[in-house]
Amino acid sequence: MSHNTFGHLFRLTTWGESHGPAIGCVIDGCPPGIALTEADIQIHLNKRRPGQSRYTTQRAELDNVKIMSGVFENDNGEQVTTGTPLALLIENLDQRSKDYGDIKNKFRPGHADYTYFSKYGIRDYRGGGRSSARETAMRVAAGAVARKVLLGVSIRGALVQIGPHKVDRENWSWSEVENNPFFSPDVKSVSLWADYLDQVRKAGSSVGAVIEVVAEGVPPGWGAPVYSKLDQELAAGLMSINAVKGVEIGDGFGVASLIGEESTDEIRNLNGRPHFTTNRAGGILGGISTGEPILARFVVKPTSSILTSRGTIDSCGKETNIFTKGRHDPCVGIRAVPVGEAMVALVLADHMLRHRGQVGC
Amino acid sequence: MSHNTFGHLFRLTTWGESHGPAIGCVIDGCPPGIALTEADIQIHLNKRRPGQSRYTTQRAELDNVKIMSGVFENDNGEQVTTGTPLALLIENLDQRSKDYGDIKNKFRPGHADYTYFSKYGIRDYRGGGRSSARETAMRVAAGAVARKVLLGVSIRGALVQIGPHKVDRENWSWSEVENNPFFSPDVKSVSLWADYLDQVRKAGSSVGAVIEVVAEGVPPGWGAPVYSKLDQELAAGLMSINAVKGVEIGDGFGVASLIGEESTDEIRNLNGRPHFTTNRAGGILGGISTGEPILARFVVKPTSSILTSRGTIDSCGKETNIFTKGRHDPCVGIRAVPVGEAMVALVLADHMLRHRGQVGC
Amino acid sequence: MSHNTFGHLFRLTTWGESHGPAIGCVIDGCPPGIALTEADIQIHLNKRRPGQSRYTTQRAELDNVKIMSGVFENDNGEQVTTGTPLALLIENLDQRSKDYGDIKNKFRPGHADYTYFSKYGIRDYRGGGRSSARETAMRVAAGAVARKVLLGVSIRGALVQIGPHKVDRENWSWSEVENNPFFSPDVKSVSLWADYLDQVRKAGSSVGAVIEVVAEGVPPGWGAPVYSKLDQELAAGLMSINAVKGVEIGDGFGVASLIGEESTDEIRNLNGRPHFTTNRAGGILGGISTGEPILARFVVKPTSSILTSRGTIDSCGKETNIFTKGRHDPCVGIRAVPVGEAMVALVLADHMLRHRGQVGC
Amino acid sequence: MSHNTFGHLFRLTTWGESHGPAIGCVIDGCPPGIALTEADIQIHLNKRRPGQSRYTTQRAELDNVKIMSGVFENDNGEQVTTGTPLALLIENLDQRSKDYGDIKNKFRPGHADYTYFSKYGIRDYRGGGRSSARETAMRVAAGAVARKVLLGVSIRGALVQIGPHKVDRENWSWSEVENNPFFSPDVKSVSLWADYLDQVRKAGSSVGAVIEVVAEGVPPGWGAPVYSKLDQELAAGLMSINAVKGVEIGDGFGVASLIGEESTDEIRNLNGRPHFTTNRAGGILGGISTGEPILARFVVKPTSSILTSRGTIDSCGKETNIFTKGRHDPCVGIRAVPVGEAMVALVLADHMLRHRGQVGC
């Protein structure tokens, strides 16, 4: 993990800006012999693609991914990974000629405009440049490859809160997640959220959201003390997603008000294998997986691209105001669901290989 | 960040087990010429040292640190860093000869016993071995060195919640933090927490806690997109602390129920310098510091070492029960305060050097 | 340095195969504000480009580089680096439809065919796939960027030996290097080498070569003990070039037969600055630059693509013979000159930033 | 590989100065369950220990190693690695109170005094501080652990040249290496070298040497393109040893004057397995092992600690002269033999684990 690279043995390096010619990534360290086509990746990209409902940005991007290297036909004529770097590329189609006048000279509050400029003395102001969430398309693409490495592991995400409205966990249904534009597991939340977001959108405003990702099928033993803990790297991966302000594992902040008798998951035998009767720990103890489902949650702030004028300064330091014209996302958290899944997949694939390296299969 | 190493340019590698002869660390990449004595480090270790009140473990460790390498006299006869590896060492004094019978053959639920054994096929069961929070002494020691690197930056932590009892932020006083055994910033919380913890201790139980760390004086521009974000690495650093289950930056999970107009900090001028009128972002936008105070919060679960018997299995897989005899900590979160400060210091020192490397002073 | 990534703060990641759609790279950690156009890079690529004389391969590649990300206009309308990842891309034009029959099923001896297959269980046999020296184009491109970072440092390479024929160092002229197709600094070697290589080429054979790279203007103090030594990383960078079998710094293997009085460079004052009267150490002591020119030398083996049949096995393990049809390079060492320069530039740029990070400007 | 850390999955971090209280190292990533005692390490340290013959320095160090962490008893009562960091420590006994007056204010030419001071603005002048070859004791110790990881791999080194005197390869006998104080494989060289070194020693001078290391039993497939090549990392590891100025793999610089027909090792079948009829490549093609013995060679310069006065400057920049009083090594190359073996072992152990991580067992 360093600047624009994530992971140790399964390593993702991304590049590209929101309005440059393309975005892309290099995945290094992928095991060889894994069947992989562009369609395998596209299916996940399509879940994140903008413009799919009125609740997400209307930017028209097909996000068609191309595999530029790292695959070849095996003896059966199947396209498989070769063990050398996978390079993926998505062209930016919707670089509409646009008046960036305001953004060019003013720092949008809540965005990275001021901090990038403070750091580098220059910034690519077109659509946020490198700080745009467009970068997360490559995370989703790489996550699709990571999933292929993680045989027997299922990774699923769901939106569990929009604004003040949480799902009712009694209603949780994974199959429902695929049926609504919010990735909600609670069918009853759908019309409520739809109405709420319509209001938010009409007000030119935005709201935050909470996403939960669950990984099932991870065997006990993945992860590593003490600075490569599985929960540590999940926290890093999820917190690195644009607009994320918090991460929880298992019961998360809820453990503060528990007593030890409540928070300690007991171990029993189930069908001859160790089994935890509860999973408040979220599948991780001492930074290493327990074999129970891994539970991670993260919060995404409301986008700062809103139609209300907000105070800011310009690049000369003069006070001014700004508001964001044009398309915007009332709840960017929705599209963060496949991104969160991807980051969990990347962390797990990396740890699977690292575990195998140190300890053997 | 890899296994037992934290950081990139300012790198901490720790070693040692709870009941081995010693614990230690190597700090690599420290700038040369920084005045550093054992006393500079000891002052921070003493804040974390066990046995200082009846609310923390009674293990009797002096935690006297020795600097084994990396310092030398400069021309003024002052001991300074040389730019080569600093090695620090603390001998384990309180390795009381003890009957580990129960722990030896049973996995303590809620601890890392089962996961270490699953991963490695062997574990050092004496006091948790490598998974013991004793390792955090070296974090505090290294954090003391990181503070020396961070001229002009102040890093302070406080306990803001024990069990269900939160501090009243209206009463916040940094000077009060030094005055009570809980690192509480709210004088009114002290007797309440004392009574509550006495109850918990008498019940042989334990509770969780929330810690907040604030770093002031960080200039705008530290941090790096997109996989070395400042908030990402703070999350990694804090989540790597034993028993931590969640991390927040700024308003954290609270942003879920905000609207964009509320969550977007406006920028104004104050005394000719950019200033954010609010700091819901916690001093970080796009992974890069804004110049405002950096606010991080993390939650520590109740220790699983309690006097109540809990179900578990033994190393043969047979169901059994266990409870933890002897000394224990009713609220391990208290001693996590200096550890959290140290992790923030380590992340900031690393990013200060990385920023200087890429961008110049 | 890890799989397909080179460097620490100035990091190069390359991807692509000889006969895929393109090759490319990502340069991460480049300082912002450096003027950079495609032409700045192209000028160096053109020195390496195949097909420029009858002494190098006739593969027709224009090697036109595109900058895909990481640059933007500054206030003066000049295109400069932004501090975010530079992505470079070169399309492969000359992917002539070809009968790979022989190469497909047989391991070319002296090439990486057998070892890639042993490692990965699959290989991209088209032109060597990832093991092709085509990858070195991206090194040269990245080296061009590194040179821009290294203000005041000059990095020049020359061919000093082809087969048994060494240059006469008495005749050394850097300006001559630009005048002949061999990058020879000795005008008298040119016709001799031309005749010799014509013979080699007609015989369908190949020969080895030795390249020397000199970096001037490096201040004292770059490099780092003890596992990031400047000479260590130069050795790594040069040995990573295809077909390289040895690396020397300064007097190299010649120091074996010297005595201490001969090999120890004395230090004097010259114009008020420290100066070494000789430079047998090649500008590096204890892994850190002395301020004298840095001298590195490396040897490239004769290409194994020759017209003489050689014994090998096929992918079923059966003994057979093979020889390489079509275009080939009688002395691949010639085109290694700009590649060697590039690797030296990459190592120095990385160490410049690392030094600045730890010690300050 | 970064500053004072070597390796990726099997990682060595060393610390300590020549005349500090101790030197030590941390080995991170070692597989668990490997039987390891201090005696296993000591046997290799004893080969490097100073003062064993009149041809090496008379510094009296026992170099008794202590294992401080990372081992524990398994169920059979055998001490094995636990998978957590191994910390090793050797106390410095012979820190004789000494007048460092001359060294304190003058830069010893040929040593790292001037470059360390240039870099850091301070240096520990006692015996070279961190730049002392004393650090290599920890490499040998870590190499002993690496050997334990490398089941079935034999790593042996020999001195093949002292000054101008090379061994006769016709006489090569590995068993002879153990019989003489020079690690010479050629019994006939022994008296010749003894006489020659006596002369050198009496003259207060020093000579260079060449060491060869051979690793047998490495399966095909270890190593990785393109910036983690096996030969690249061997070059890095060997060049990082004090006073090394060149590294060769296989035929090394000799390949310059070969033609392709000579340098290309043919592949045949031997007992149903692929076999190279020659091994000019030194067991590595395309950065990946071929299954043949890995051959590496490196050259060590004469130590600059000689009794002849040499010109230098003092810390004020004034010209002066210096010569080294007291004990010294006429041929430091001799003690570099076990160090070279250790570096080869470290590289191979790291690549074994990395290969297993990416590709599986």
Side-chain angles (χ1 to χ4, degrees):
Chain A
M1 283 186 249
S2 155
H3 289 205
N4 296 278
T5 296
F6 188 83
H8 294 81
L9 286 198
F10 190 90
R11 295 161 67 83
L12 167 67
T13 301
T14 70
W15 56 267
E17 287 92 29
S18 176
H19 286 66
I23 56 173
C25 74
V26 185
I27 301 164
D28 199 3
C30 186
I34 294 175
L36 183 73
T37 65
E38 289 167 353
D40 293 328
I41 301 170
Q42 197 64 49
I43 198 170
H44 291 281
L45 280 169
N46 290 351
K47 290 175 71 178
R48 180 202 158 278
R49 200 172 61 195
Q52 301 198 106
S53 78
R54 69 178 182 277
Y55 309 107
T56 58
T57 180
Q58 296 305 305
R59 176 171 173 156
E61 288 288 359
L62 289 176
D63 280 0
N64 282 344
V65 68
K66 288 185 216 163
I67 302 179
M68 302 295 284
S69 71
V71 293
F72 199 64
E73 279 186 13
N74 69 6
D75 288 345
N76 307 325
E78 197 182 19
Q79 183 171 281
V80 301
T81 57
T82 60
T84 58
L86 286 158
L88 308 180
L89 191 141
I90 295 174
E91 287 180 58
N92 288 332
L93 301 177
D94 186 15
Q95 312 163 45
R96 62 176 70 173
S97 146
K98 189 174 167 183
D99 176 13
Y100 289 106
D102 247 23
I103 295 179
K104 181 173 175 177
N105 295 314
K106 296 179 182 177
F107 301 119
R108 293 171 302 161
H111 284 281
D113 297 358
Y114 171 69
T115 54
Y116 268 61
F117 188 78
S118 294
K119 182 173 193 71
Y120 298 120
I122 185 173
R123 69 187 170 96
D124 181 343
Y125 47 75
R126 302 166 306 165
R130 180 67 181 155
S131 71
S132 164
R134 182 137 187 76
E135 187 269 346
T136 60
M138 298 322 305
R139 303 180 185 224
V140 173
V145 180
R147 284 173 191 269
K148 287 272 190 164
V149 174
L150 293 163
L151 270 183
V153 176
S154 127
I155 298 164
R156 295 182 292 191
L159 207 65
V160 297
Q161 182 178 348
I162 287 188
H165 306 295
K166 299 186 185 186
V167 297
D168 181 346
R169 286 177 176 267
E170 299 286 312
N171 301 334
W172 194 289
S173 157
W174 280 113
S175 58
E176 175 56 29
V177 171
E178 308 277 329
N179 288 340
N180 63 74
F182 308 113
F183 303 107
S184 173
D186 171 12
V187 67
K188 293 198 180 146
S189 71
V190 177
S191 60
L192 178 79
W193 287 2
D195 291 347
Y196 176 65
L197 282 188
D198 278 336
Q199 279 182 289
V200 170
R201 190 168 48 82
K202 280 169 196 161
S205 187
S206 61
V207 286
V210 177
I211 292 98
E212 183 162 316
V213 182
V214 181
E216 289 170 288
V218 174
W222 290 6
V226 296
Y227 299 119
S228 289
K229 284 179 169 160
L230 199 51
D231 34 3
Q232 166 187 1
E233 301 205 343
L234 288 169
L238 296 172
M239 192 68 96
S240 76
I241 300 171
N242 309 50
V244 172
K245 301 306 284 184
V247 179
E248 296 183 319
I249 302 296
D251 271 18
F253 279 88
V255 297
S257 44
L258 296 180
I259 57 170
E261 289 80 353
E262 295 165 324
S263 67
T264 305
D265 305 309
E266 292 186 293
I267 319 179
R268 302 279 84 180
N269 262 315
L270 188 70
N271 306 327
R273 297 184 51 181
H275 167 70
F276 290 76
T277 55
T278 51
N279 188 21
R280 290 185 180 278
I284 302 171
L285 286 172
I288 299 173
S289 60
T290 64
E292 298 301 315
I294 288 171
L295 311 176
R297 223 163 11 257
F298 60 100
V299 64
V300 176
K301 72 176 182 182
T303 181
S304 302
S305 297
I306 50 178
L307 294 183
T308 302
S309 181
R310 298 288 289 164
T312 189
I313 57 172
D314 63 22
S315 48
C316 304
K318 200 165 147 262
E319 293 192 353
T320 178
N321 287 283
I322 192 168
F323 71 93
T324 310
K325 282 167 286 191
R327 59 199 180 195
H328 79 283
D329 252 333
C331 180
V332 289
I334 298 171
R335 292 171 61 211
V337 174
V339 181
E341 290 177 355
M343 295 315 293
V344 171
L346 289 169
V347 170
L348 291 175
D350 190 38
H351 270 291
M352 185 196 113
L353 302 187
R354 291 165 78 183
H355 178 75
R356 188 162 74 179
Q358 187 183 10
V359 180
C361 305
Chain B
M1 282 184 249
S2 156
H3 288 207
N4 296 278
T5 297
F6 188 82
H8 294 82
L9 287 198
F10 190 90
R11 294 161 69 82
L12 167 67
T13 301
T14 70
W15 57 266
E17 288 91 29
S18 176
H19 286 66
I23 56 173
C25 75
V26 185
I27 301 165
D28 200 2
C30 185
I34 294 176
L36 183 73
T37 64
E38 289 167 353
D40 293 328
I41 301 171
Q42 197 64 48
I43 198 171
H44 291 281
L45 280 169
N46 290 350
K47 290 174 70 177
R48 180 203 158 277
R49 201 171 60 193
Q52 301 197 106
S53 78
R54 69 179 183 277
Y55 309 107
T56 58
T57 180
Q58 295 307 304
R59 176 171 174 156
E61 288 289 359
L62 288 177
D63 281 358
N64 283 344
V65 68
K66 287 185 217 163
I67 302 179
M68 303 294 284
S69 70
V71 293
F72 199 64
E73 279 187 12
N74 68 7
D75 287 346
N76 308 325
E78 196 182 19
Q79 183 172 279
V80 300
T81 57
T82 60
T84 59
L86 286 158
L88 308 180
L89 191 140
I90 296 174
E91 286 180 59
N92 287 331
L93 302 176
D94 186 15
Q95 314 162 46
R96 61 178 69 173
S97 146
K98 189 175 169 183
D99 175 15
Y100 288 105
D102 247 22
I103 294 179
K104 180 173 175 177
N105 296 312
K106 297 179 182 177
F107 301 119
R108 293 170 302 162
H111 284 281
D113 298 358
Y114 172 69
T115 55
Y116 268 62
F117 188 79
S118 294
K119 182 173 193 72
Y120 298 120
I122 184 173
R123 69 188 169 96
D124 181 342
Y125 47 76
R126 301 167 306 166
R130 180 67 182 155
S131 71
S132 164
R134 181 136 186 76
E135 187 269 346
T136 60
M138 297 323 305
R139 302 181 186 224
V140 173
V145 180
R147 284 172 191 270
K148 287 272 190 166
V149 174
L150 292 163
L151 271 183
V153 176
S154 126
I155 298 164
R156 295 182 291 190
L159 207 65
V160 296
Q161 182 178 349
I162 287 187
H165 306 294
K166 298 186 186 185
V167 297
D168 181 346
R169 286 177 177 269
E170 300 286 312
N171 300 333
W172 194 289
S173 157
W174 280 113
S175 58
E176 174 57 28
V177 171
E178 309 277 329
N179 289 339
N180 64 74
F182 309 113
F183 302 107
S184 173
D186 172 11
V187 67
K188 294 199 179 144
S189 71
V190 177
S191 60
L192 178 80
W193 287 2
D195 291 348
Y196 177 65
L197 282 189
D198 278 336
Q199 278 183 290
V200 170
R201 191 167 48 83
K202 281 169 196 159
S205 186
S206 60
V207 285
V210 177
I211 293 98
E212 184 162 315
V213 183
V214 181
E216 290 170 288
V218 174
W222 290 6
V226 295
Y227 298 119
S228 289
K229 285 179 169 159
L230 199 52
D231 34 3
Q232 165 187 0
E233 301 205 342
L234 288 169
L238 296 172
M239 193 68 99
S240 76
I241 300 171
N242 308 50
V244 172
K245 301 306 284 184
V247 179
E248 296 182 319
I249 302 296
D251 270 19
F253 278 89
V255 297
S257 43
L258 296 180
I259 57 170
E261 288 80 353
E262 295 165 325
S263 68
T264 304
D265 305 310
E266 292 186 294
I267 320 178
R268 301 278 85 179
N269 262 316
L270 187 71
N271 306 325
R273 296 184 53 182
H275 168 70
F276 290 76
T277 56
T278 51
N279 188 20
R280 290 185 180 277
I284 303 171
L285 286 173
I288 299 174
S289 60
T290 64
E292 298 300 316
I294 288 171
L295 311 176
R297 222 162 13 257
F298 61 101
V299 64
V300 177
K301 72 176 182 183
T303 180
S304 303
S305 296
I306 51 178
L307 293 182
T308 302
S309 180
R310 299 286 291 164
T312 189
I313 56 173
D314 64 20
S315 48
C316 304
K318 200 163 148 262
E319 293 192 353
T320 179
N321 288 283
I322 193 169
F323 72 93
T324 311
K325 282 167 286 193
R327 59 198 178 195
H328 80 283
D329 251 333
C331 180
V332 289
I334 298 171
R335 292 173 60 213
V337 174
V339 181
E341 290 176 355
M343 295 315 294
V344 171
L346 289 168
V347 169
L348 291 175
D350 191 37
H351 269 291
M352 185 196 113
L353 302 187
R354 291 165 78 184
H355 178 75
R356 189 163 73 179
Q358 187 182 9
V359 180
C361 305
Chain C
M1 281 185 250
S2 156
H3 288 205
N4 296 278
T5 296
F6 188 82
H8 294 80
L9 287 198
F10 190 90
R11 295 162 68 84
L12 168 68
T13 301
T14 70
W15 57 267
E17 288 92 28
S18 176
H19 286 66
I23 57 174
C25 74
V26 185
I27 301 165
D28 200 3
C30 186
I34 295 176
L36 182 74
T37 65
E38 289 168 352
D40 292 329
I41 300 171
Q42 197 63 48
I43 197 170
H44 291 281
L45 280 169
N46 290 351
K47 289 175 72 176
R48 182 203 158 276
R49 200 171 60 195
Q52 302 198 105
S53 79
R54 69 180 183 275
Y55 309 107
T56 58
T57 180
Q58 295 306 302
R59 175 169 176 160
E61 288 288 1
L62 288 177
D63 280 358
N64 283 343
V65 70
K66 287 185 219 163
I67 302 179
M68 303 293 284
S69 71
V71 292
F72 199 63
E73 278 187 15
N74 67 7
D75 288 345
N76 308 323
E78 197 182 18
Q79 183 172 278
V80 301
T81 57
T82 61
T84 59
L86 286 158
L88 309 180
L89 191 141
I90 296 174
E91 287 181 57
N92 287 331
L93 302 176
D94 186 15
Q95 313 164 45
R96 61 177 70 175
S97 147
K98 190 174 166 184
D99 175 14
Y100 289 105
D102 247 23
I103 294 178
K104 180 173 176 177
N105 296 312
K106 297 178 181 177
F107 301 119
R108 294 170 302 161
H111 285 280
D113 298 358
Y114 172 69
T115 54
Y116 268 61
F117 188 79
S118 296
K119 183 173 193 71
Y120 298 118
I122 184 174
R123 70 188 169 95
D124 181 342
Y125 47 75
R126 302 165 306 165
R130 180 69 182 154
S131 71
S132 164
R134 181 138 187 74
E135 186 269 346
T136 60
M138 297 323 304
R139 303 180 185 223
V140 172
V145 180
R147 285 172 191 270
K148 287 272 190 163
V149 174
L150 293 162
L151 270 184
V153 175
S154 127
I155 299 164
R156 295 182 292 190
L159 206 66
V160 297
Q161 182 178 349
I162 287 188
H165 306 294
K166 298 186 185 185
V167 297
D168 182 346
R169 285 176 177 268
E170 300 285 311
N171 300 333
W172 194 289
S173 157
W174 280 113
S175 58
E176 175 56 28
V177 170
E178 308 278 329
N179 289 339
N180 63 74
F182 308 114
F183 303 106
S184 173
D186 171 11
V187 67
K188 291 197 180 149
S189 71
V190 177
S191 61
L192 178 79
W193 285 2
D195 290 349
Y196 176 66
L197 281 189
D198 278 337
Q199 278 182 294
V200 170
R201 190 168 49 82
K202 281 170 195 159
S205 186
S206 61
V207 287
V210 177
I211 292 96
E212 184 162 315
V213 182
V214 181
E216 290 170 288
V218 175
W222 290 6
V226 295
Y227 299 118
S228 289
K229 285 179 169 161
L230 198 51
D231 34 2
Q232 165 187 0
E233 301 206 343
L234 288 169
L238 296 172
M239 193 67 97
S240 77
I241 301 172
N242 308 50
V244 171
K245 302 304 285 183
V247 179
E248 295 182 321
I249 302 296
D251 271 19
F253 279 88
V255 297
S257 44
L258 295 180
I259 58 170
E261 288 80 354
E262 295 165 325
S263 67
T264 305
D265 305 309
E266 292 185 295
I267 318 178
R268 302 278 84 180
N269 262 315
L270 188 70
N271 306 326
R273 297 185 51 182
H275 167 70
F276 291 75
T277 56
T278 51
N279 188 19
R280 289 184 180 279
I284 303 171
L285 286 173
I288 299 173
S289 60
T290 64
E292 298 299 316
I294 288 171
L295 310 175
R297 224 161 12 255
F298 60 101
V299 64
V300 176
K301 72 176 182 181
T303 181
S304 301
S305 296
I306 51 177
L307 294 182
T308 303
S309 179
R310 299 286 291 166
T312 189
I313 58 172
D314 63 22
S315 47
C316 304
K318 200 163 147 263
E319 294 192 353
T320 179
N321 287 282
I322 193 169
F323 72 91
T324 311
K325 281 168 286 191
R327 60 200 179 192
H328 79 283
D329 251 333
C331 180
V332 288
I334 298 171
R335 291 173 59 211
V337 174
V339 181
E341 291 176 355
M343 295 314 294
V344 171
L346 289 168
V347 170
L348 291 176
D350 190 38
H351 270 291
M352 185 196 113
L353 303 188
R354 292 164 77 183
H355 178 73
R356 189 163 72 179
Q358 187 182 10
V359 180
C361 305
Chain D
M1 281 186 249
S2 155
H3 289 203
N4 295 278
T5 297
F6 188 83
H8 294 80
L9 288 198
F10 190 90
R11 296 162 68 83
L12 167 67
T13 300
T14 70
W15 57 267
E17 288 92 28
S18 176
H19 286 66
I23 57 173
C25 74
V26 185
I27 301 165
D28 199 2
C30 185
I34 294 176
L36 182 73
T37 64
E38 289 167 352
D40 293 328
I41 301 171
Q42 197 64 49
I43 197 170
H44 291 281
L45 279 169
N46 290 350
K47 290 175 71 178
R48 181 202 158 277
R49 200 172 60 196
Q52 302 197 106
S53 78
R54 69 178 183 276
Y55 310 108
T56 58
T57 180
Q58 295 307 301
R59 175 169 175 159
E61 288 288 0
L62 288 177
D63 280 358
N64 282 345
V65 70
K66 287 186 219 163
I67 302 180
M68 303 293 285
S69 71
V71 293
F72 198 65
E73 278 187 14
N74 68 7
D75 287 345
N76 306 324
E78 197 183 18
Q79 183 172 279
V80 300
T81 57
T82 60
T84 58
L86 286 158
L88 308 180
L89 191 141
I90 296 174
E91 287 180 58
N92 287 331
L93 301 177
D94 186 14
Q95 313 164 46
R96 61 176 70 175
S97 146
K98 190 175 166 183
D99 175 14
Y100 288 105
D102 247 22
I103 294 179
K104 180 174 176 177
N105 295 311
K106 297 179 181 178
F107 301 119
R108 293 169 303 160
H111 285 281
D113 298 357
Y114 172 69
T115 55
Y116 268 61
F117 188 79
S118 296
K119 184 174 192 70
Y120 298 119
I122 185 174
R123 70 188 169 94
D124 181 343
Y125 47 76
R126 301 166 305 165
R130 180 69 182 154
S131 70
S132 164
R134 181 136 187 76
E135 186 269 346
T136 61
M138 297 323 305
R139 303 180 184 225
V140 173
V145 180
R147 285 172 191 269
K148 287 273 190 163
V149 174
L150 294 163
L151 270 183
V153 175
S154 127
I155 298 164
R156 295 181 293 190
L159 206 66
V160 298
Q161 183 178 347
I162 287 188
H165 307 294
K166 299 185 184 186
V167 297
D168 182 346
R169 287 176 175 269
E170 300 286 311
N171 300 333
W172 193 290
S173 158
W174 280 114
S175 59
E176 176 55 29
V177 170
E178 308 278 330
N179 289 338
N180 63 74
F182 308 114
F183 302 107
S184 172
D186 171 11
V187 67
K188 291 195 181 151
S189 71
V190 178
S191 61
L192 178 79
W193 286 2
D195 291 347
Y196 175 67
L197 281 189
D198 278 337
Q199 278 183 292
V200 170
R201 190 169 48 83
K202 280 170 195 159
S205 186
S206 61
V207 287
V210 178
I211 293 97
E212 184 162 315
V213 181
V214 181
E216 290 170 288
V218 175
W222 290 6
V226 297
Y227 299 119
S228 289
K229 285 179 169 161
L230 198 51
D231 34 3
Q232 165 187 359
E233 301 205 343
L234 288 169
L238 296 172
M239 192 69 97
S240 75
I241 301 171
N242 308 50
V244 172
K245 303 303 285 184
V247 179
E248 296 183 320
I249 303 296
D251 271 20
F253 279 88
V255 298
S257 44
L258 296 180
I259 58 171
E261 289 81 354
E262 295 165 326
S263 67
T264 306
D265 304 310
E266 293 185 296
I267 319 178
R268 301 280 84 181
N269 262 316
L270 188 71
N271 306 326
R273 296 185 51 182
H275 168 69
F276 291 76
T277 55
T278 51
N279 188 20
R280 290 184 179 278
I284 303 171
L285 285 172
I288 299 172
S289 61
T290 65
E292 298 300 315
I294 288 171
L295 311 176
R297 225 164 10 257
F298 61 101
V299 64
V300 176
K301 72 176 183 181
T303 181
S304 302
S305 296
I306 50 178
L307 294 183
T308 302
S309 179
R310 299 286 290 165
T312 189
I313 58 173
D314 62 22
S315 48
C316 304
K318 198 160 148 266
E319 294 192 353
T320 178
N321 287 282
I322 194 171
F323 72 92
T324 311
K325 282 168 286 192
R327 59 201 180 193
H328 79 282
D329 250 334
C331 180
V332 288
I334 297 171
R335 292 173 58 211
V337 174
V339 181
E341 291 176 355
M343 295 314 294
V344 170
L346 289 169
V347 170
L348 291 175
D350 190 38
H351 270 290
M352 185 196 113
L353 302 188
R354 292 164 77 183
H355 178 75
R356 190 163 72 180
Q358 186 182 12
V359 181
C361 306

